[in-house]
Amino acid sequence: MGKGTDKLYITHSEWASEDAYSASAGSGASKSHTSAAPFKRLPFNFCAISLQPFNHPVCSPDGTIFDITNILPWLKKHGTNPVTGAPLKSSDLIKLNFTKNDDGEMVDPVTYKVFTNNTHIVALKNTGNVFAYDTIERLNIKAKNWRDLVSEEDFSRKDIVTLQDPQNVESRNLSTFKYLQEGASTLTPEQQRERTDPSRNVNTTALGNGASLFKAPKKEQLPDINPDALANNRASIAKTLSSLSSTKPTTKSSTASVNTPTNTTTTSTQPRALHTTGLAAASLTSTGLTPHTTADLASLSLESYLLVPRRVRTKGYCLLTLHPLSPSSPTSHQITLELHPEFAPKACWNFIQLAKKSYYNNLPFHRNIPNFMIQGGASIWNKNFDDELEGPLSSKFDKRGMLAMANKGKNTNGSQFFITYRPTPHLVRKHTVFGLVVLDDSASDAALKALEKVEVDEKSRPKTEVRIKEVNVLVDPFERFLDDKEERERVERENEHVRKMGGMEDERVTWTGKRVRLDGGMDDGGGGGGGGVGRYLKSDGGGEGKGASGEGNGKGVMEEWEGGNDGDGDGDGGGRVRKKVKGGSGFGNFDNW
């Protein structure tokens, strides 16, 4: 039982000691030589001044992390590092770029290992990107690859700044911070006024009528606020942030202080894919990923959900208005376009979104040949999108007024489109047809004829400038599809709620087959003789069945039961069971089913 012995008892010194079993550390030992300040470690994601999680992290050349909104007022007042007391300027600060995973945890941008208080974390001084030291050691130092793994910028060993070293915990020990030892205040004048304001420190709801004294203090009781100093303070913060962004380049993918993945948050109404996210399998096979134990369905963006062939079948309509073709004819021609998103959803979506952004306004038609196209630039996605050659339109090109995408080859659709003057079978499956000109409209047909008559030069360029005034979206098929989908889901939710509550008022049927009326009464479920016992027994149906005996309609049944008539006419009442007389042709009555 004793420490390091076979004794079956504990001595007095062993019992009274705090951390050792010896006479020198027992109950009578002096405790004057014990350490005074307890160890308190600051987490790596906390600001060294406010002692709170940072939002805009920066660090000093020695690796102390601050929030830019807290360190700037301190430097303006003291000009020193609040942790070490060494001189520090705002130009010496390094803007840090942390990478976050989908759970909001700070991770290494290469291995995606989550940072903890036991992770060796370093940053590169010239870029500000934050890595785990294991990543830098394996992929940079040992490989002699002195290029940033994210921004691919050159750096040297001197640019590596240690933010947290688990082997040197004293660098994050709060008891060694100089400003805490000296008791210096790190609050700004605004924060000090907030803390000394009695209305913020008193529960005014419990004061009754006296709460008005705190809610509406007199002007002379408040200290004077200098708006110029407040504006200068904010201006200095913004100026320092802009200077740090300009002098210290960040990653290619983001310029924010914390890199967060885009479009990862999902809602309950967000469309879901038929496949899972794959995070459960990925986290099972890789320790660098955040563990996931559920096979959640992958979320789809609105575009990915809508831009699927044959999903949106509603046709869209746009009105293309032209500037007058000549000064002598001030008439503005209009062309009605019919869009077919069922077979070319991407082209229709691109055209509609560009039209809503007024992209086509005042753009010219730069060629006028058997087909013509409008001069344009990139698509709504700022890149080319693939052809959509499935469907009856792209496989024919057999009529006048077909609206198609112009391209420079396979899968190079942008914003240029053209309208055919005649059938063009040589363009079959080379261009995406996403609509038609409504030629039934006399105005559209007249506009198309007027455009075809415009004179052109030897390069097929119109001699008279032809410009689009505007393109108005009359019917957006995608918005209508979403509205209809939302209405269907609403009706389904209501029907499901009614089903769980037992059905509509006029549809409720009890287990006995009786229907509950709106007034609360009961109706028979149909059939022969009504409800109760003998419900399905047939009645005689005539008034003559009621005799003097009072047996009524059940007389024949009772006679057969008592044996008064066995069916052979002799009246013996016994013997054979009476056979049922077959009725006429037909299926008979099925009330007793």
Side-chain angles (χ1 to χ4, degrees):
M1 181 178 292
K3 180 175 177 61
T5 65
D6 294 335
K7 297 180 297 182
L8 298 180
Y9 59 91
I10 300 176
T11 62
H12 172 74
S13 60
E14 291 175 345
W15 180 269
S17 63
E18 293 181 354
D19 55 354
Y21 301 137
S22 64
S24 59
S27 60
S30 174
K31 298 184 180 180
S32 60
H33 62 277
T34 58
S35 58
F39 176 79
K40 294 181 179 180
R41 183 176 182 176
L42 181 68
F44 74 95
N45 59 336
F46 277 53
C47 173
I49 294 183
S50 64
L51 306 182
Q52 298 294 326
F54 51 69
N55 294 321
H56 307 284
V58 295
C59 74
S60 59
D62 62 350
T64 306
I65 303 178
F66 306 98
D67 195 298
I68 188 66
T69 58
N70 297 323
I71 188 61
L72 285 184
W74 175 275
L75 295 179
K76 187 175 181 180
K77 182 178 181 180
H78 301 279
T80 59
N81 189 327
V83 176
T84 61
L88 182 64
K89 300 179 181 179
S90 60
S91 58
D92 298 332
L93 298 177
I94 303 170
K95 186 179 180 181
L96 301 178
N97 302 307
F98 283 90
T99 303
K100 287 188 175 183
N101 59 10
D102 52 356
D103 293 332
E105 299 171 324
M106 298 180 184
V107 297
D108 182 273
V110 178
T111 62
Y112 285 94
K113 288 186 177 181
V114 179
F115 290 156
T116 65
N117 289 329
N118 298 319
T119 306
H120 192 172
I121 305 174
V122 297
L124 300 183
K125 186 182 298 184
N126 59 336
T127 63
N129 295 327
V130 181
F131 301 89
Y133 180 74
D134 294 341
T135 303
I136 296 294
E137 183 181 21
R138 287 183 296 166
L139 302 181
N140 290 113
I141 299 177
K142 291 184 178 180
K144 297 182 180 180
N145 175 30
W146 299 102
R147 297 177 68 88
D148 192 311
L149 298 174
V150 176
S151 62
E152 298 183 358
E153 297 185 21
D154 297 334
F155 71 95
S156 62
R157 191 182 291 269
K158 298 179 182 178
D159 295 328
I160 301 177
V161 179
T162 300
L163 303 180
Q164 176 180 257
D165 186 0
Q167 303 299 327
N168 183 21
V169 294
E170 287 297 328
S171 61
R172 309 286 296 177
N173 188 3
L174 290 174
S175 60
T176 61
F177 286 10
K178 186 175 180 60
Y179 79 96
L180 293 178
Q181 294 176 348
E182 296 177 352
S185 175
T186 60
L187 300 178
T188 62
E190 292 80 9
Q191 292 174 339
Q192 291 179 355
R193 282 192 291 269
E194 289 180 359
R195 295 199 176 188
T196 56
D197 187 1
S199 62
R200 295 179 178 271
N201 300 324
V202 176
N203 184 9
T204 57
T205 59
L207 294 178
N209 296 333
S212 58
L213 300 176
F214 291 94
K215 294 181 180 180
K218 297 181 180 180
K219 294 184 178 180
E220 58 269 20
Q221 293 178 349
L222 294 176
D224 295 333
I225 299 177
N226 187 357
D228 296 333
L230 181 61
N232 293 335
N233 187 20
R234 293 175 179 173
S236 61
I237 293 176
K239 183 178 179 181
T240 304
L241 282 174
S242 60
S243 63
L244 290 174
S245 301
S246 60
T247 56
K248 307 219 173 25
T250 59
T251 62
K252 291 182 179 180
S253 60
S254 175
T255 57
S257 59
V258 178
N259 301 327
T260 57
T262 59
N263 198 21
T264 58
T265 58
T266 61
T267 61
S268 58
T269 59
Q270 189 169 0
R272 297 284 182 172
L274 298 179
H275 59 275
T276 63
T277 58
L279 295 177
S283 61
L284 177 65
T285 57
S286 176
T287 58
L289 298 180
T290 304
H292 288 78
T293 57
T294 57
D296 298 328
L297 292 178
S299 59
L300 294 176
S301 63
L302 186 61
E303 292 183 7
S304 301
Y305 175 72
L306 291 177
L307 304 187
V308 177
R310 295 179 176 83
R311 171 159 289 168
V312 180
R313 300 176 182 269
T314 306
K315 296 179 181 179
Y317 292 91
C318 296
L319 184 64
L320 188 149
T321 305
L322 302 173
H323 282 288
L325 299 180
S326 63
S328 60
S329 177
T331 304
S332 297
H333 294 281
Q334 292 182 336
I335 301 176
T336 303
L337 304 176
E338 182 183 82
L339 307 182
H340 293 251
E342 182 178 358
F343 304 106
K346 292 182 181 178
C348 293
W349 175 274
N350 178 66
F351 184 83
I352 290 174
Q353 298 305 318
L354 291 177
K356 288 183 176 181
K357 293 173 58 178
S358 303
Y359 178 84
Y360 292 115
N361 293 4
N362 298 319
L363 286 181
F365 288 101
H366 68 280
R367 283 195 295 174
N368 190 14
I369 48 181
N371 54 61
F372 66 93
M373 66 186 87
I374 186 174
Q375 185 74 31
S379 65
I380 192 67
W381 301 283
N382 294 322
K383 63 180 181 180
N384 296 330
F385 60 94
D386 296 343
D387 296 326
E388 296 170 304
L389 304 179
E390 299 296 331
L393 296 179
S394 297
S395 60
K396 291 183 179 181
F397 263 104
D398 58 348
K399 62 181 67 177
R400 169 185 171 89
M402 301 192 75
L403 178 65
M405 296 298 299
N407 57 39
K408 296 178 291 185
K410 184 179 180 181
N411 299 330
T412 57
N413 298 294
S415 65
Q416 299 184 21
F417 64 88
F418 64 89
I419 301 174
T420 60
Y421 288 134
R422 58 175 177 81
T424 53
H426 62 282
L427 299 179
V428 171
R429 297 198 177 278
K430 293 182 180 179
H431 294 268
T432 299
V433 180
F434 63 97
L436 299 170
V437 175
V438 182
L439 297 178
D440 296 340
D441 184 9
S442 58
S444 301
D445 190 25
L448 206 59
K449 292 179 180 178
L451 288 173
E452 193 171 7
K453 294 178 181 179
V454 175
E455 297 183 0
V456 296
D457 56 13
E458 62 277 1
K459 295 183 179 180
S460 301
R461 298 178 183 274
K463 293 182 178 180
T464 303
E465 189 177 54
V466 180
R467 287 184 175 271
I468 294 178
K469 184 177 181 180
E470 60 182 351
V471 177
N472 295 320
V473 180
L474 304 180
V475 177
D476 189 341
F478 301 101
E479 288 185 357
R480 180 164 294 185
F481 173 81
L482 293 177
D483 293 341
D484 295 343
K485 179 176 178 293
E486 183 179 357
E487 178 65 20
R488 289 195 303 269
E489 292 178 350
R490 184 188 65 80
V491 173
E492 290 177 359
R493 289 194 299 268
E494 292 180 355
N495 293 339
E496 180 65 17
H497 177 70
V498 170
R499 187 189 65 80
K500 292 181 178 179
M501 297 299 294
M504 297 292 289
E505 290 292 338
D506 57 345
E507 294 179 352
R508 295 181 181 177
V509 180
T510 65
W511 66 275
T512 60
K514 294 184 178 180
R515 187 180 300 276
V516 181
R517 297 195 303 269
L518 294 176
D519 57 359
M522 294 286 185
D523 287 338
D524 294 336
V533 179
R535 173 182 178 182
Y536 298 106
L537 296 179
K538 297 181 181 180
S539 61
D540 292 343
E544 69 231 13
K546 295 181 180 181
S549 62
E551 294 174 348
N553 295 334
K555 181 178 179 180
V557 178
M558 293 301 298
E559 288 179 353
E560 182 177 354
W561 173 262
E562 294 173 356
N565 185 7
D566 57 3
D568 53 3
D570 55 1
D572 55 3
R576 296 176 292 105
V577 179
R578 183 178 181 180
K579 296 183 180 179
K580 295 183 179 180
V581 180
K582 295 184 180 179
S585 62
F587 293 101
N589 194 343
F590 291 91
D591 287 344
N592 58 349
W593 277 35

